Amino acid sequence: MQSSKYYGFAGALALFCGAAQAAAAPSSAPSAALAARLADFDGWVAQRMDKARIPGVTVGFSQGDVEWVKGYGYADLENRVPATARSSYRLASVTKPMTAVAILQLVEQGKIDLDAPVQTYVPYFPVKPFPVTVRQLLGHLGGIDAYRNSKAEKHFKEHKDTRQSIAVFEQFDLIAEPGTRFRYTSYGYNLLGAVIEGASGESYGGYMRRHVWGPLGMDTIVMDDPDAVIAHRVRGYRLAGKEWKNAEFVDISSRFSAGGTRASVPDMLAFGRGVHEGKILSAASVAAMVQPMATRAGRLTDYGMGWEVVPTGGRYAIAHSGQQPETVTYLYSFPSRKLTIAVAANLERVNPEAFVQRLFEVVTGESWQLNTYIADAGAQRAYQVAQGLFEEGRSYAERTDQPYADAAATREAFTQINRQALAPDARAARAFIDAARHPAGGRVFLTAGASMAGQLRQSGVDLNQYARGGALAFARDYVLLSQGTKAGALPRFDPAFEQAIMTLAGSWDRTAAIAWPAAAPSIAALDSQLRTAFRGQRAYPDFVPELQELAQASVARGEVEAALAASRLAVELYPLSDRAHALQGLTLLRASKTEAALAALRLALERDPLGAANPAALNLEAYRLKGSGAVAQGMAVLQAAVRLHPRDANLQDSLAEFYVEQGLRPQAVEAYRQALRLDPRYPGAVGAKAAIIRLAGETKALAP
């Protein structure tokens, strides 16, 4: 059956030209109800682009026989060229799952052994102290490092062939014994591109055109080339404060099989659809590709072979994002639903996931994620267990109707949860919960959760209903089911856990329908409305993300007091939330109230040491600010972060980068040195040593 497709353009935004232009008439439209929701989506996109200052974006979805793609804003600001469904964006790391598919095709043909050393296919790659296998490269477990000298490696201007691209990193030492550490790296996927060439006898681009892109009908995708004439090529931009600037010219051929392609959103959708429909791989290869790998220590990496694999709101999903000069991209696929969503934008460092999330909600009518706050400290552990069981169990049931484990293993998983996750020793229980989804913890959440989902489905429950009820409804319904069967027929939870779940689920039933106001709310109105709605409840919607957006928007307008008011409300409504205290701390930093900010961030760490104030989260926030043009504010976040986490080498390394950008060479050198003192072998150590030498030379050259 021929797919119904609708390709439109909304060039379109008050931000650019004052009024929206009508989209092209569809050749065949989605249903009337969906079309109405998509019209509302246009308005949301306009607001989002205005807020994030995005020049152009193309977004679309494919489900069953319907495909819808639309461009918004401009592919070229200077010449007012509209973004359309045909616009050709740099795909960046969305190239990686395509490379993984090619590898698995060659495995099926007997030309690649996943567990063979990479030198079997790339004999010129130097032998390392440990073998590096193709399988490990696919899962970023090969010990291959990422960029070491970012100033050089992220800014190549010359075109590189495969051999030259491998030469960039081939002499790097491994950062760890393969299999022991996850390290996301484009260099590992470049090496996979060389494996494809060695095994197939074809160039990477030639192989992909003949065996992956062509068979899937991807007719616009090309290897990016600055000299080539590429139809509908978009121009890329970056922000300097609130001002648009052309993106720096970078020739990305050095990232050829890791991020060196350019294509349209319909091509992204064709790839996602082709994978979950099994058009170019066997069912066994697809199943292997989307199985998350684990380190030797038994920790899941949430990455399979070329795909991020993480349950999303209890749904089975695979995804990959991309980011590089000129572009951000995201490809999200829900294979069991035959639904693929893709987005590409021509502004660096903006978050494209918001477009995916919103379009998913428009298409399905479901919330992307139910954010639930538990106001009872004593019941928080029960909710964490319920959430783990729901995410792992329901997503497994969405993927297959086959049982995950036998009856004995299932009962043992319930026993472990009752004994350890709910034990009086809170620290030990927390450690158990943290490990419960991983192989090191026996994957007890998956084992028990898959059984729960299977039993509920057998009883006649439609598992799709938990898109609205979430983890608490899922756990409550199983508790009621197990209580209503003959003793011993189904595994049971501890009575205290069952009672906690019943109480929390009842509270959630009363509050779940409370929505964040559609119109921009005032803090005073929110305060009154939400306090009244949440008073006396033990479970209610967590609006910290919305309050964070409100605070960030206030800061962007220069309304720091309004931002502080939003962060205060977050803490007052959600006092047990690490994210609320982190929001307050970061907002206080923007107000230059450093000591108060540190106190709030310490409270966030007390609430959750692995949460919103951990080193990685603060580092990410600093780079988010830098990407929006607020380099000095990002540097302030890092300065606070190193006070909170004085033993973290990566934070010192990041701070050094910010110092360099601000022209503070002596401070940068000292930060790099401190990082090396803390950990001489941290991932950026080699780059730090090179930077110290370079900065010392620059300082000497500038001396009078």
Side-chain angles (χ1 to χ4, degrees):
M1 185 184 298
Q2 185 174 0
S3 296
S4 304
K5 296 187 178 182
Y6 169 59
Y7 293 159
F9 159 65
L13 306 175
L15 172 65
F16 303 115
C17 53
Q21 302 175 19
S27 55
S28 58
S31 69
L34 178 54
R37 296 199 300 272
L38 288 168
D40 291 338
F41 178 67
D42 287 348
W44 180 89
V45 170
Q47 293 176 1
R48 190 78 190 185
M49 292 178 72
D50 191 6
K51 183 184 302 181
R53 298 283 294 166
I54 301 172
V57 64
T58 301
V59 61
F61 77 90
S62 169
Q63 185 171 41
D65 298 322
V66 175
E67 183 170 303
W68 175 93
V69 183
K70 198 166 187 178
Y72 301 85
Y74 291 97
D76 180 339
L77 278 172
E78 292 175 335
N79 297 297
R80 286 298 191 261
V81 177
T84 71
R86 296 176 296 176
S87 295
S88 180
Y89 296 84
R90 283 182 167 178
L91 293 189
S93 289
V94 170
T95 307
K96 288 182 174 70
M98 300 178 189
T99 295
V101 164
I103 290 284
L104 289 170
Q105 282 184 335
L106 291 165
V107 170
E108 291 182 355
Q109 297 166 24
K111 295 180 178 180
I112 290 178
D113 177 352
L114 286 177
D115 296 311
V118 68
Q119 288 83 7
T120 306
Y121 314 101
V122 190
Y124 57 80
F125 188 72
V127 174
K128 303 298 180 181
F130 302 96
V132 178
T133 69
V134 176
R135 187 189 304 273
Q136 289 164 340
L137 291 175
L138 284 166
H140 299 289
L141 288 167
I144 303 296
D145 205 355
Y147 305 112
R148 290 190 172 180
N149 182 358
S150 295
K151 191 166 185 179
E153 296 166 45
K154 290 185 178 181
H155 304 275
F156 289 130
K157 310 299 181 189
E158 69 281 1
H159 209 65
K160 294 184 183 294
D161 60 22
T162 298
R163 184 68 189 88
Q164 292 166 331
S165 299
I166 303 301
V168 171
F169 65 93
E170 64 183 9
Q171 297 303 325
F172 289 3
D173 293 335
L174 298 181
I175 60 167
E177 181 181 348
T180 64
R181 177 177 172 182
F182 178 84
R183 170 68 159 163
Y184 182 85
T185 166
S186 287
Y187 289 152
Y189 265 73
N190 276 357
L191 198 46
L192 288 170
V195 168
I196 291 168
E197 294 186 346
S200 70
E202 301 182 61
S203 70
Y204 172 79
Y207 181 91
M208 299 300 289
R209 279 191 296 274
R210 280 184 281 276
H211 302 285
V212 179
W213 301 333
L216 292 180
M218 299 168 65
D219 52 12
T220 71
I221 189 167
V222 294
M223 300 303 297
D224 197 33
D225 184 346
D227 289 335
V229 176
I230 298 175
H232 308 293
R233 184 200 297 259
V234 303
R235 295 195 62 174
Y237 301 92
R238 59 186 172 86
L239 283 177
K242 288 294 180 182
E243 186 178 355
W244 284 308
K245 299 288 185 182
N246 287 315
E248 174 194 0
F249 167 70
V250 176
D251 187 309
I252 58 170
S253 56
S254 65
R255 314 175 196 184
F256 69 111
S257 53
T261 57
R262 183 180 285 274
S264 66
V265 164
D267 271 5
M268 294 170 69
L269 294 174
F271 176 71
R273 184 170 59 246
V275 169
H276 64 59
E277 290 181 355
K279 290 183 177 179
I280 51 176
L281 284 178
S282 68
S285 290
V286 172
M289 183 170 58
V290 300
Q291 179 65 36
M293 292 192 185
T295 65
R296 193 175 302 165
R299 299 289 293 189
L300 291 176
T301 63
D302 296 331
Y303 198 97
M305 298 182 185
W307 291 97
E308 302 158 6
V309 187
V310 185
T312 302
R315 306 176 190 94
Y316 164 43
I318 58 176
H320 214 293
S321 59
Q323 178 175 275
Q324 65 184 199
E326 300 186 15
T327 194
V328 293
T329 54
Y330 221 124
L331 178 63
Y332 232 102
S333 184
F334 299 86
S336 302
R337 297 164 179 243
K338 306 299 183 188
L339 172 62
T340 299
I341 300 174
V343 60
N346 60 351
L347 179 66
E348 298 173 5
R349 294 189 175 275
V350 70
N351 179 12
E353 190 172 7
F355 292 89
V356 173
Q357 294 178 2
R358 186 69 174 198
L359 186 54
F360 173 87
E361 293 177 342
V362 167
V363 172
T364 66
E366 299 177 4
S367 296
W368 176 264
Q369 191 76 264
L370 295 176
N371 293 320
T372 306
Y373 175 74
I374 305 302
D376 182 346
Q380 284 193 327
R381 248 196 290 158
Y383 177 73
Q384 290 167 359
V385 170
Q387 185 70 13
L389 293 165
F390 172 66
E391 289 286 354
E392 296 290 331
R394 181 173 176 260
S395 62
Y396 179 83
E398 188 168 276
R399 180 175 174 180
T400 177
D401 59 2
Q402 298 299 309
Y404 176 74
D406 61 24
T410 299
R411 289 188 181 278
E412 177 60 22
F414 274 79
T415 299
Q416 291 296 317
I417 291 169
N418 287 333
R419 286 179 180 171
Q420 298 189 57
L422 308 170
D425 185 340
R427 181 173 296 183
R430 185 185 188 119
F432 175 81
I433 291 171
D434 178 59
R437 64 180 295 263
H438 298 277
R443 300 212 73 176
V444 295
F445 279 164
L446 175 55
T447 304
S451 174
M452 293 166 66
Q455 293 294 338
L456 286 167
R457 184 159 53 192
Q458 285 182 28
S459 74
V461 172
D462 179 359
L463 296 179
N464 288 327
Q465 74 184 41
Y466 298 119
R468 291 176 174 81
L472 289 173
F474 176 79
R476 176 194 52 202
D477 289 355
Y478 179 80
V479 167
L480 292 173
L481 179 65
S482 63
Q483 289 176 345
T485 58
K486 186 175 71 172
L490 292 178
R492 289 280 301 273
F493 287 108
D494 180 270
F497 173 79
E498 293 183 346
Q499 182 57 49
I501 290 298
M502 298 300 291
T503 301
L504 292 175
S507 185
W508 181 245
D509 286 344
R510 293 187 289 273
T511 62
I514 298 170
W516 183 259
S522 71
I523 296 298
L526 273 175
D527 189 313
S528 174
Q529 175 189 348
L530 297 182
R531 281 181 193 278
T532 299
F534 298 161
R535 186 174 294 118
Q537 298 299 329
R538 297 189 180 187
Y540 49 84
D542 185 343
F543 292 134
V544 172
E546 288 81 359
L547 287 164
Q548 181 176 2
E549 280 206 11
L550 190 60
Q552 289 174 349
S554 298
V555 167
R557 295 191 299 268
E559 301 169 359
V560 177
E561 286 303 318
L564 288 171
S567 72
R568 281 195 299 271
L569 180 58
V571 169
E572 290 166 4
L573 289 174
Y574 307 105
L576 300 178
S577 167
D578 63 296
R579 293 185 302 166
H581 289 283
L583 168 59
Q584 185 171 53
L586 293 168
T587 309
L588 286 165
L589 275 179
R590 294 299 296 268
S592 300
K593 299 180 180 182
T594 304
E595 296 307 316
L598 286 167
L601 290 170
R602 289 191 182 99
L603 278 174
L605 283 173
E606 287 180 16
R607 299 294 186 271
D608 186 354
L610 302 177
N614 75 20
L618 294 175
N619 193 63
L620 185 64
E621 173 64 12
Y623 279 94
R624 185 195 69 79
L625 289 166
K626 180 175 180 286
S628 70
V631 180
Q633 289 84 356
M635 189 165 68
V637 170
L638 287 172
Q639 288 168 332
V642 298
R643 289 180 63 181
L644 289 168
H645 306 284
R647 306 297 303 170
D648 192 282
N650 186 63
L651 285 175
Q652 293 285 352
D653 185 278
S654 296
L655 183 56
E657 283 190 25
F658 277 66
Y659 282 143
V660 169
E661 187 139 343
Q662 295 290 83
L664 302 171
R665 291 182 181 85
Q667 292 92 327
V669 168
E670 177 52 32
Y672 277 129
R673 286 176 174 159
Q674 178 62 11
L676 291 167
R677 284 193 288 267
L678 289 169
D679 184 358
R681 295 180 60 81
Y682 81 99
V686 174
K689 293 171 185 176
I692 289 170
I693 295 170
R694 183 182 71 250
L695 291 167
E698 292 173 359
T699 301
K700 185 175 180 181
L702 292 172

